[in-house]
Amino acid sequence: MRPYRYGYLVEHECRRRLKEKYGAKYVIRSSRSLGPADLIAIFPDRREIWLVQVKKEEAPKNPETLRRRLKDLVELGGEYRVIPYAFMKVKGRYAFIKLEVD
């Protein structure tokens, strides 16, 4: 099996577990991700967002090794303010439209 295909299947299993076992309402996949996260799981009822890097190999015995290896992902941890926007045409030109939260 080609490495990309195997990685895709592991991501698909992770996505399934996030939804079925952990209760994520939305799971967004970044195909051929070169960024810090492969999946973004959104849990509206808990007001949580998980950034998930999927790896097909065995986890290292020392957790600090994994933290160093995934440093870019670790640095994204913390609290954020989430602001919803739409990007669409306004008078014939594309623009960001801020959507007010109730």
Side-chain angles (χ1 to χ4, degrees):
M1 183 178 303
R2 299 176 74 192
Y4 174 79
R5 177 76 177 149
Y6 185 73
Y8 168 80
L9 292 174
V10 176
E11 286 178 0
H12 186 73
E13 174 62 15
C14 179
R15 181 179 187 275
R16 185 190 66 76
R17 286 189 194 184
L18 284 165
K19 289 186 133 201
E20 293 177 10
K21 186 175 180 182
Y22 292 94
K25 184 164 183 178
Y26 307 102
V27 179
I28 302 157
R29 179 176 175 263
S30 177
S31 64
R32 287 218 177 252
S33 169
L34 299 176
D38 296 317
L39 300 173
I40 301 169
I42 302 173
F43 302 83
D45 56 331
R46 300 193 309 231
R47 307 298 290 173
E48 288 182 358
I49 296 174
W50 293 9
L51 304 177
V52 182
Q53 177 59 254
V54 178
K55 296 291 185 193
K56 57 188 178 231
E57 70 264 11
E58 193 76 24
K61 295 196 186 318
N62 180 352
E64 189 55 37
T65 302
L66 187 59
R67 277 184 51 83
R68 278 194 310 270
R69 192 165 151 214
L70 299 177
K71 181 179 165 247
D72 291 346
L73 179 62
V74 172
E75 289 175 353
L76 291 174
E79 293 187 29
Y80 290 80
R81 188 170 66 139
V82 178
I83 305 167
Y85 282 90
F87 184 70
M88 53 197 316
K89 287 183 179 179
V90 177
K91 297 181 182 174
R93 303 187 83 162
Y94 281 99
F96 287 98
I97 303 166
K98 187 174 181 180
L99 304 172
E100 297 301 323
V101 179
D102 295 335

